[in-house]
Amino acid sequence: MSVTNQGATVWLTGLPSAGKTTIARALAGRLVEEGHRVEVLDGDEIREFLSAGLGFSREDRHTNVRRIGFVAELLASHGVKALVPVIAPYADSRDAVRKHHEAAGTRFIEVHVATPVDVCSQRDVKGLYAKQASGQLAGLTGVDDPYEVPESPDLRIEAHQQTVSDSAAALHALLTGRGLA
């Protein structure tokens, strides 16, 4: 199998605990095995190291998303598959990242990990939903802060209805169809 060295940003958006990072890591493993250069830009890690000091206001979230988008585009422009599992709750922020990629001539793929909030709250891998329910946390995306569902993502994954492997395979098939895997 021939490996394409063309980079791209694969932006996985969805609610907290939707499965974005799990799917991105599964896909990354497969792409690395095939010989691709891959980087996972996890939203939590970016917040800790690149966006430390930002809060969760709409403006701060927009700044965070644009920073992540800038790094992803930079990597993708150098032949890396940048897998970006971040909530990115606002459509205008995601659109700004897409437009930055388009202006630079870099491929951008938006994937909506469409796990319903009730399933996410049952998973609650970080304890955020429990903290919100007990009043210890306000502004939880999809509960008491908005999440704007992508209208026309390149792929919508119903992660609650299939395995992680099947979700990663669907995304891999999309990349293959677009000449990126």
Side-chain angles (χ1 to χ4, degrees), residues 66-142:
R66 291 199 56 195
R67 286 179 183 175
I68 296 168
F70 173 80
V71 173
E73 193 284 321
L74 187 64
L75 289 168
S77 72
H78 290 282
V80 176
K81 307 291 188 294
L83 308 182
V84 187
V86 296
I87 296 168
Y90 302 113
D92 61 342
S93 297
R94 295 188 304 263
D95 289 344
V97 171
R98 179 186 296 276
K99 286 176 182 166
H100 176 74
H101 278 70
E102 288 171 355
T106 305
R107 304 283 294 271
F108 180 88
I109 295 172
E110 183 180 50
V111 178
H112 178 214
V113 182
T115 307
V117 70
D118 59 317
V119 174
C120 293
S121 67
Q122 289 169 7
R123 292 178 179 171
D124 203 11
V125 295
K126 299 174 197 163
L128 298 175
Y129 293 91
K131 286 180 182 175
Q132 190 278 333
S134 70
Q136 298 174 340
L137 176 71
L140 181 60
T141 302

Coordinates of all heavy atoms in Angstrom, one line a residue, residues 66-142:
R66 N -9.1 28.7 17.8 CA -8.3 29.3 16.7 C -6.8 28.9 17.0 O -6.1 28.6 16.0 CB -8.4 30.8 16.7 CG -9.9 31.1 16.2 CD -10.1 32.4 15.6 NE -9.1 32.7 14.6 CZ -8.8 33.9 14.2 NH1 -9.5 35.0 14.6 NH2 -7.9 34.1 13.2
R67 N -6.3 28.9 18.2 CA -4.9 28.4 18.5 C -4.7 27.0 18.0 O -3.7 26.7 17.4 CB -4.6 28.6 20.0 CG -4.4 30.0 20.4 CD -4.1 30.1 21.9 NE -4.0 31.5 22.3 CZ -3.9 31.9 23.5 NH1 -3.8 31.0 24.5 NH2 -3.8 33.2 23.8
I68 N -5.6 26.1 18.4 CA -5.5 24.7 18.0 C -5.5 24.6 16.5 O -4.7 23.9 15.9 CB -6.6 23.9 18.7 CG1 -6.5 23.9 20.2 CG2 -6.6 22.5 18.1 CD1 -7.8 23.3 20.9
G69 N -6.4 25.4 15.9 CA -6.5 25.3 14.4 C -5.2 25.8 13.8 O -4.8 25.2 12.7
F70 N -4.6 26.8 14.3 CA -3.3 27.3 13.8 C -2.3 26.2 13.8 O -1.6 25.9 12.8 CB -2.9 28.5 14.5 CG -1.5 29.0 14.1 CD1 -1.3 29.8 13.0 CD2 -0.4 28.7 14.9 CE1 -0.1 30.2 12.6 CE2 0.9 29.1 14.5 CZ 1.1 29.8 13.3
V71 N -2.1 25.6 15.0 CA -1.1 24.5 15.1 C -1.4 23.3 14.2 O -0.5 22.8 13.5 CB -1.0 24.0 16.6 CG1 -0.1 22.8 16.7 CG2 -0.6 25.2 17.5
A72 N -2.7 23.0 14.1 CA -3.1 21.9 13.2 C -2.8 22.2 11.8 O -2.2 21.3 11.1 CB -4.6 21.6 13.4
E73 N -3.1 23.4 11.3 CA -2.8 23.7 10.0 C -1.3 23.7 9.7 O -0.8 23.3 8.7 CB -3.4 25.1 9.6 CG -3.4 25.5 8.2 CD -2.1 25.9 7.6 OE1 -1.3 26.6 8.3 OE2 -1.8 25.4 6.4
L74 N -0.5 24.2 10.7 CA 0.9 24.2 10.5 C 1.5 22.8 10.3 O 2.3 22.5 9.4 CB 1.6 24.9 11.7 CG 3.1 25.1 11.7 CD1 3.4 26.1 10.6 CD2 3.5 25.7 13.1
L75 N 1.0 21.9 11.2 CA 1.4 20.5 11.1 C 1.0 19.9 9.7 O 1.7 19.3 9.0 CB 0.8 19.7 12.2 CG 1.4 19.9 13.6 CD1 0.6 19.3 14.7 CD2 2.9 19.4 13.7
A76 N -0.3 20.1 9.4 CA -0.9 19.5 8.2 C -0.1 20.1 6.9 O 0.1 19.3 6.0 CB -2.4 19.8 8.1
S77 N 0.3 21.3 7.0 CA 1.0 21.9 5.8 C 2.3 21.3 5.6 O 2.9 21.4 4.6 CB 1.1 23.4 6.0 OG 2.0 23.8 7.0
H78 N 2.8 20.6 6.6 CA 4.1 19.9 6.6 C 3.9 18.4 6.4 O 4.8 17.6 6.8 CB 5.0 20.2 7.8 CG 5.4 21.7 7.7 ND1 6.5 22.1 6.9 CD2 5.0 22.8 8.3 CE1 6.6 23.4 7.0 NE2 5.7 23.8 7.9
G79 N 2.8 17.9 6.0 CA 2.6 16.5 5.7 C 2.1 15.6 6.8 O 2.1 14.4 6.7
V80 N 1.7 16.2 7.9 CA 1.2 15.5 9.1 C -0.3 15.4 9.0 O -1.0 16.3 8.6 CB 1.7 16.2 10.4 CG1 1.1 15.5 11.6 CG2 3.2 16.3 10.4
K81 N -0.8 14.3 9.4 CA -2.3 14.1 9.6 C -2.5 14.6 11.1 O -2.1 13.9 12.0 CB -2.8 12.7 9.5 CG -2.4 12.0 8.2 CD -3.1 12.5 7.0 CE -2.8 11.7 5.8 NZ -1.5 11.6 5.2
A82 N -3.1 15.8 11.2 CA -3.3 16.3 12.5 C -4.8 16.0 12.9 O -5.7 16.4 12.3 CB -3.2 17.9 12.5
L83 N -4.9 15.1 13.9 CA -6.2 14.6 14.4 C -6.5 15.5 15.6 O -5.7 15.5 16.6 CB -6.1 13.2 14.8 CG -5.6 12.2 13.7 CD1 -5.7 10.8 14.1 CD2 -6.3 12.4 12.4
V84 N -7.6 16.2 15.6 CA -7.9 17.2 16.6 C -9.3 16.9 17.3 O -10.3 17.4 16.8 CB -8.0 18.6 15.9 CG1 -8.1 19.7 16.9 CG2 -6.7 18.9 15.1
P85 N -9.2 16.2 18.4 CA -10.4 15.9 19.1 C -10.7 17.0 20.2 O -10.1 17.0 21.2 CB -10.2 14.6 19.8 CG -8.7 14.6 20.0 CD -8.1 15.4 18.9
V86 N -11.5 18.0 19.8 CA -11.9 19.1 20.7 C -13.4 19.4 20.6 O -14.0 19.1 19.6 CB -11.1 20.4 20.4 CG1 -9.6 20.2 20.6 CG2 -11.4 20.9 19.0
I87 N -13.9 19.9 21.7 CA -15.3 20.2 21.7 C -15.7 21.2 20.7 O -16.6 21.0 19.9 CB -15.8 20.6 23.1 CG1 -15.6 19.5 24.1 CG2 -17.2 21.1 23.1 CD1 -15.7 19.9 25.6
A88 N -15.0 22.3 20.7 CA -15.2 23.4 19.7 C -16.7 23.7 19.5 O -17.3 23.4 18.5 CB -14.5 23.1 18.4
P89 N -17.3 24.2 20.6 CA -18.8 24.3 20.6 C -19.5 25.2 19.6 O -20.7 25.1 19.3 CB -19.1 24.7 22.0 CG -17.9 25.5 22.5 CD -16.8 24.8 21.8
Y90 N -18.7 26.2 19.1 CA -19.4 27.2 18.3 C -19.0 27.1 16.8 O -17.9 27.0 16.4 CB -19.0 28.6 18.8 CG -19.3 28.8 20.2 CD1 -18.4 29.0 21.2 CD2 -20.7 28.9 20.6 CE1 -18.7 29.1 22.5 CE2 -21.0 29.0 21.9 CZ -20.0 29.2 22.9 OH -20.4 29.3 24.2
A91 N -20.1 27.1 16.0 CA -19.9 27.0 14.5 C -19.0 28.0 13.9 O -18.2 27.7 13.1 CB -21.3 27.0 13.8
D92 N -19.1 29.3 14.4 CA -18.3 30.3 13.8 C -16.8 30.1 14.1 O -15.9 30.4 13.3 CB -18.7 31.7 14.3 CG -18.6 32.0 15.8 OD1 -18.6 31.0 16.6 OD2 -18.7 33.2 16.2
S93 N -16.5 29.5 15.2 CA -15.1 29.2 15.5 C -14.5 28.1 14.6 O -13.4 28.2 14.1 CB -14.9 28.7 17.0 OG -15.2 29.8 17.9
R94 N -15.4 27.0 14.4 CA -15.0 26.0 13.5 C -14.8 26.5 12.1 O -13.9 26.1 11.4 CB -16.0 24.8 13.6 CG -16.0 24.1 15.0 CD -16.8 22.9 15.0 NE -18.2 23.0 14.6 CZ -19.3 23.2 15.4 NH1 -19.1 23.3 16.7 NH2 -20.5 23.4 14.9
D95 N -15.8 27.4 11.7 CA -15.7 27.9 10.4 C -14.4 28.8 10.2 O -13.8 28.8 9.1 CB -16.9 28.8 10.1 CG -18.2 27.9 9.9 OD1 -18.1 26.7 9.7 OD2 -19.3 28.5 10.0
A96 N -14.0 29.5 11.2 CA -12.8 30.3 11.1 C -11.6 29.4 10.9 O -10.7 29.7 10.1 CB -12.6 31.1 12.4
V97 N -11.6 28.3 11.6 CA -10.5 27.3 11.4 C -10.5 26.8 10.0 O -9.5 26.7 9.3 CB -10.5 26.2 12.4 CG1 -9.5 25.1 12.1 CG2 -10.3 26.8 13.8
R98 N -11.7 26.4 9.5 CA -11.8 25.8 8.1 C -11.3 26.9 7.1 O -10.6 26.6 6.2 CB -13.2 25.5 7.8 CG -13.4 24.9 6.4 CD -14.9 24.7 6.1 NE -15.5 23.6 6.9 CZ -15.4 22.3 6.6 NH1 -14.8 21.9 5.6 NH2 -16.0 21.5 7.4
K99 N -11.7 28.1 7.3 CA -11.3 29.2 6.3 C -9.8 29.4 6.4 O -9.2 29.7 5.3 CB -12.1 30.5 6.6 CG -13.6 30.4 6.2 CD -14.3 31.6 6.6 CE -15.8 31.4 6.1 NZ -16.7 32.4 6.7
H100 N -9.2 29.3 7.5 CA -7.8 29.5 7.6 C -7.1 28.4 6.8 O -6.1 28.6 6.1 CB -7.3 29.5 9.1 CG -5.9 29.5 9.3 ND1 -5.1 30.7 9.1 CD2 -5.0 28.5 9.7 CE1 -3.8 30.4 9.4 NE2 -3.7 29.1 9.7
H101 N -7.6 27.2 7.0 CA -7.0 26.0 6.2 C -7.2 26.3 4.7 O -6.3 26.0 3.9 CB -7.7 24.7 6.6 CG -7.1 24.1 7.9 ND1 -7.3 24.7 9.1 CD2 -6.4 23.0 8.1 CE1 -6.7 24.0 10.0 NE2 -6.1 22.9 9.4
E102 N -8.4 26.7 4.3 CA -8.7 26.9 2.9 C -7.8 28.0 2.3 O -7.2 27.8 1.2 CB -10.2 27.3 2.7 CG -11.1 26.1 2.9 CD -12.6 26.5 2.9 OE1 -12.9 27.7 2.9 OE2 -13.4 25.6 3.0
A103 N -7.6 29.0 3.1 CA -6.7 30.1 2.6 C -5.3 29.7 2.4 O -4.5 30.1 1.6 CB -6.8 31.3 3.6
A104 N -4.9 28.7 3.2 CA -3.5 28.2 3.2 C -3.4 27.0 2.2 O -2.3 26.5 1.9 CB -3.0 27.7 4.6
G105 N -4.5 26.5 1.6 CA -4.5 25.4 0.7 C -4.3 24.1 1.4 O -3.8 23.1 0.8
T106 N -4.7 24.0 2.7 CA -4.5 22.8 3.5 C -5.8 22.1 3.7 O -6.9 22.7 3.9 CB -3.9 23.2 4.9 OG1 -2.7 23.9 4.7 CG2 -3.6 21.9 5.7
R107 N -5.8 20.8 3.5 CA -7.1 20.0 3.7 C -7.6 20.0 5.1 O -6.8 19.9 6.1 CB -6.8 18.5 3.3 CG -6.2 18.3 1.9 CD -7.2 18.5 0.8 NE -8.2 17.4 0.7 CZ -8.1 16.3 0.1 NH1 -7.0 16.0 -0.6 NH2 -9.1 15.4 0.2
F108 N -8.9 20.1 5.2 CA -9.6 20.2 6.5 C -10.9 19.3 6.4 O -11.7 19.5 5.5 CB -10.0 21.6 6.8 CG -10.7 21.8 8.1 CD1 -10.0 22.0 9.3 CD2 -12.1 21.7 8.2 CE1 -10.7 22.1 10.5 CE2 -12.8 21.9 9.4 CZ -12.1 22.1 10.6
I109 N -11.0 18.4 7.4 CA -12.1 17.5 7.4 C -12.8 17.7 8.8 O -12.1 17.5 9.8 CB -11.7 16.0 7.2 CG1 -11.1 15.9 5.7 CG2 -12.8 15.1 7.4 CD1 -10.5 14.6 5.4
E110 N -14.1 18.0 8.8 CA -14.8 18.1 10.0 C -15.6 16.8 10.3 O -16.4 16.4 9.4 CB -15.8 19.3 9.9 CG -16.5 19.5 11.2 CD -17.4 20.7 11.2 OE1 -18.2 20.8 10.2 OE2 -17.4 21.6 12.1
V111 N -15.5 16.3 11.5 CA -16.2 15.1 11.9 C -17.0 15.4 13.1 O -16.4 15.9 14.1 CB -15.2 13.9 12.1 CG1 -15.9 12.7 12.6 CG2 -14.3 13.6 10.9
H112 N -18.3 15.1 13.1 CA -19.1 15.3 14.3 C -19.3 14.0 14.9 O -19.9 13.1 14.4 CB -20.5 15.9 13.9 CG -21.4 16.1 15.0 ND1 -22.7 15.9 14.9 CD2 -21.1 16.4 16.3 CE1 -23.3 16.1 16.1 NE2 -22.3 16.4 17.0
V113 N -18.8 13.9 16.2 CA -19.0 12.7 17.0 C -20.3 12.9 17.7 O -20.3 13.6 18.7 CB -17.8 12.4 17.9 CG1 -18.0 11.1 18.7 CG2 -16.5 12.3 17.1
A114 N -21.4 12.4 17.2 CA -22.7 12.7 17.6 C -23.3 11.8 18.7 O -24.3 11.2 18.5 CB -23.6 12.7 16.3
T115 N -22.6 11.8 19.8 CA -23.1 11.1 20.9 C -24.1 11.9 21.7 O -23.7 13.1 22.1 CB -21.9 10.6 21.8 OG1 -20.9 10.0 21.0 CG2 -22.3 9.7 22.9
P116 N -25.3 11.4 22.0 CA -26.3 12.2 22.8 C -25.8 12.5 24.2 O -25.0 11.8 24.8 CB -27.5 11.3 22.8 CG -27.3 10.3 21.8 CD -25.8 10.1 21.6
V117 N -26.2 13.7 24.7 CA -25.8 14.1 26.0 C -26.1 13.1 27.1 O -25.3 13.0 28.1 CB -26.4 15.5 26.4 CG1 -27.9 15.5 26.6 CG2 -25.7 16.2 27.5
D118 N -27.2 12.4 27.0 CA -27.5 11.4 28.1 C -26.5 10.3 28.1 O -26.1 9.8 29.2 CB -28.9 10.9 28.0 CG -29.2 10.2 26.7 OD1 -28.8 10.7 25.6 OD2 -29.9 9.1 26.7
V119 N -26.0 9.9 26.9 CA -24.9 8.8 26.9 C -23.6 9.4 27.4 O -22.9 8.8 28.1 CB -24.8 8.3 25.4 CG1 -23.6 7.3 25.3 CG2 -26.1 7.6 25.0
C120 N -23.3 10.6 27.0 CA -22.1 11.3 27.5 C -22.1 11.4 29.0 O -21.1 11.2 29.6 CB -21.9 12.7 26.8 SG -21.6 12.7 25.1
S121 N -23.2 11.8 29.5 CA -23.3 11.9 31.0 C -23.2 10.6 31.7 O -22.7 10.5 32.8 CB -24.6 12.7 31.4 OG -25.7 11.9 31.2
Q122 N -23.6 9.5 31.1 CA -23.4 8.2 31.7 C -21.9 7.8 31.6 O -21.4 7.2 32.6 CB -24.2 7.1 30.9 CG -25.7 7.2 31.2 CD -26.5 6.4 30.2 OE1 -26.0 5.6 29.5 NE2 -27.8 6.5 30.3
R123 N -21.2 8.1 30.5 CA -19.8 7.8 30.4 C -19.0 8.7 31.4 O -18.1 8.2 32.1 CB -19.3 8.1 29.0 CG -19.8 7.2 28.0 CD -19.3 7.6 26.6 NE -19.8 6.7 25.6 CZ -19.6 7.0 24.3 NH1 -19.0 8.1 23.9 NH2 -20.1 6.1 23.4
D124 N -19.3 10.0 31.4 CA -18.7 11.0 32.3 C -17.2 10.7 32.7 O -16.9 10.7 33.8 CB -19.6 11.2 33.5 CG -19.4 12.5 34.2 OD1 -18.7 13.4 33.6 OD2 -19.9 12.7 35.3
V125 N -16.4 10.5 31.7 CA -15.0 10.0 31.9 C -14.2 11.0 32.8 O -13.3 10.6 33.5 CB -14.2 9.7 30.6 CG1 -14.9 8.6 29.9 CG2 -14.2 10.9 29.7
K126 N -14.6 12.3 32.8 CA -13.8 13.3 33.6 C -14.6 13.8 34.8 O -14.2 14.6 35.5 CB -13.5 14.5 32.7 CG -12.6 14.2 31.6 CD -12.4 15.4 30.7 CE -11.9 14.9 29.3 NZ -12.1 15.9 28.3
G127 N -15.8 13.2 35.0 CA -16.6 13.7 36.1 C -17.3 15.0 36.0 O -17.8 15.6 36.9
L128 N -17.3 15.5 34.8 CA -17.8 16.9 34.5 C -19.3 16.9 34.7 O -19.9 17.9 35.3 CB -17.5 17.4 33.1 CG -16.0 17.5 32.8 CD1 -15.8 17.9 31.4 CD2 -15.4 18.5 33.7
Y129 N -20.0 15.9 34.2 CA -21.5 15.9 34.3 C -21.9 15.8 35.8 O -22.9 16.5 36.2 CB -22.1 14.8 33.4 CG -21.9 15.1 31.9 CD1 -20.8 14.5 31.3 CD2 -22.8 15.8 31.2 CE1 -20.6 14.8 29.9 CE2 -22.6 16.0 29.9 CZ -21.5 15.5 29.2 OH -21.3 15.8 27.9
A130 N -21.2 15.0 36.5 CA -21.6 14.9 37.9 C -21.3 16.2 38.7 O -22.1 16.6 39.5 CB -20.7 13.7 38.6
K131 N -20.2 16.9 38.3 CA -19.9 18.2 39.0 C -21.0 19.2 38.6 O -21.4 20.0 39.4 CB -18.6 18.7 38.6 CG -17.4 17.9 39.2 CD -16.1 18.5 38.8 CE -14.9 17.7 39.4 NZ -13.6 18.2 38.9
Q132 N -21.4 19.2 37.3 CA -22.5 20.1 36.9 C -23.8 19.8 37.6 O -24.5 20.7 38.1 CB -22.7 20.0 35.4 CG -23.5 21.1 34.8 CD -25.0 20.8 34.9 OE1 -25.4 19.7 35.0 NE2 -25.8 21.9 34.9
A133 N -24.1 18.5 37.7 CA -25.4 18.2 38.4 C -25.4 18.5 39.9 O -26.4 18.9 40.4 CB -25.6 16.7 38.2
S134 N -24.2 18.5 40.5 CA -24.1 18.8 41.9 C -23.9 20.3 42.2 O -23.8 20.8 43.3 CB -23.0 18.1 42.6 OG -21.7 18.6 42.2
G135 N -23.8 21.1 41.1 CA -23.7 22.6 41.3 C -22.2 23.0 41.4 O -22.0 24.2 41.6
Q136 N -21.3 22.1 41.3 CA -19.9 22.5 41.4 C -19.3 23.1 40.2 O -18.2 23.6 40.2 CB -19.0 21.2 41.8 CG -19.4 20.6 43.2 CD -18.6 19.3 43.4 OE1 -18.1 18.7 42.5 NE2 -18.6 18.9 44.6
L137 N -20.0 22.9 39.0 CA -19.5 23.3 37.7 C -20.7 24.0 37.0 O -21.8 23.4 36.9 CB -19.0 22.1 37.0 CG -18.5 22.3 35.5 CD1 -17.2 23.1 35.5 CD2 -18.3 21.0 34.8
A138 N -20.4 25.1 36.4 CA -21.3 25.8 35.5 C -20.7 26.0 34.1 O -19.5 26.0 34.0 CB -21.7 27.1 36.1
G139 N -21.5 26.1 33.1 CA -21.0 26.3 31.8 C -20.6 25.0 31.1 O -19.7 25.0 30.2
L140 N -21.2 23.9 31.4 CA -20.8 22.6 30.7 C -21.5 22.6 29.4 O -22.7 22.7 29.2 CB -21.3 21.4 31.6 CG -20.9 20.0 31.0 CD1 -19.4 19.9 30.8 CD2 -21.5 18.9 31.9
T141 N -20.6 22.4 28.4 CA -21.1 22.4 27.0 C -22.1 21.3 26.8 O -21.9 20.1 27.2 CB -19.9 22.1 26.0 OG1 -19.0 23.2 26.2 CG2 -20.4 22.1 24.6
G142 N -23.3 21.7 26.2 CA -24.3 20.8 25.9 C -25.3 20.6 27.0 O -26.4 20.0 26.8

